Amino acid sequence: MASVPNSGSALPPPPPVWDARPPETAVRYAGFWLRLVAWIVDMIALAIVWQIVSLVFPPLPVPPPTGADASLLWQYWLDSLSPDKMIASTLICWAYFALQESSSAQATIGKRLLGIRVSTENGSRLSLGAASIRAWPLYLNSAGWILGSLGGLVAFLAIVACVSVAFSSRKQGLHDKMAGAVLTRR
């Protein structure tokens, strides 16, 4: 007869066939198109704020020229950008982005609506300084126009910084890398 194992001896349990730890979820970065939609929402919010703030500025004395060529319209637009308006626009834009992204919400209104969070590489909140660096393509664009043609150069650099999001594996623009920020989806 075959020997039967002693039923009184304690055998160790078999090893588990599955790991009871929750799986690590991959980080979902916010891509270019999602960020573009968030930016559009933010621009609508800023336009509403600007319409209210602009009530304190005097209206333009002359209406835009009709039937004018592009160069005259461009010059009219540049002439309408008074330094006080550009400073106000710069400060409002900076405050909107930097203060919200460094807050406990870690996102602007547009980003919150789309489930995007701005954080440091390790997931913590951005400092106000880092959020200001991250937002430079949005507010320095306004400030650049105070100095005339420098605005065009700043606008070009801002576009390059933002479009670079589409070509980065972590979906970071140059401005994100400068600030040590990543944008993730919830």
Side-chain angles (χ1 to χ4, degrees), residues 4-176:
V4 178
N6 184 356
S7 60
S9 68
L11 295 174
V17 292
W18 55 275
D19 191 355
R21 292 176 295 181
E24 291 184 23
T25 57
V27 176
R28 294 178 15 183
Y29 297 109
F32 177 81
W33 295 110
L34 189 64
R35 289 169 67 165
L36 180 65
V37 172
W39 176 80
I40 291 169
V41 171
D42 290 331
M43 289 301 108
I44 292 168
L46 275 170
I48 292 168
V49 170
W50 180 250
Q51 288 303 311
I52 295 167
V53 170
S54 68
L55 294 174
V56 300
F57 293 105
L60 292 174
V62 181
T66 57
D69 65 356
S71 64
L72 285 176
L73 288 173
W74 179 255
Q75 190 58 47
Y76 173 80
W77 181 73
L78 287 176
D79 292 342
S80 71
L81 301 175
S82 63
D84 55 344
K85 283 184 181 179
M86 295 315 303
I87 290 169
S89 173
T90 299
L91 289 175
I92 289 168
C93 191
W94 167 80
Y96 180 85
F97 287 97
L99 293 176
Q100 288 188 76
E101 291 177 354
S102 65
S103 74
S104 60
Q106 293 181 260
T108 60
I109 293 168
K111 290 178 184 77
R112 279 183 251 165
L113 287 174
L114 294 168
I116 299 172
R117 189 179 89 162
V118 181
S119 63
T120 62
E121 307 253 342
N122 65 5
S124 61
R125 232 168 66 181
L126 289 181
S127 68
L128 182 58
S132 297
I133 290 170
R134 201 193 95 63
W136 77 261
L138 303 165
Y139 68 85
L140 279 186
N141 200 4
S142 297
W145 290 109
I146 294 172
L147 302 173
S149 61
L150 183 61
L153 176 62
V154 173
F156 174 74
L157 293 173
I159 290 169
V160 169
C162 294
V163 169
S164 64
V165 169
F167 303 102
S168 167
S169 62
R170 296 177 66 194
K171 305 302 180 200
Q172 287 178 295
L174 297 176
H175 56 299
D176 297 321

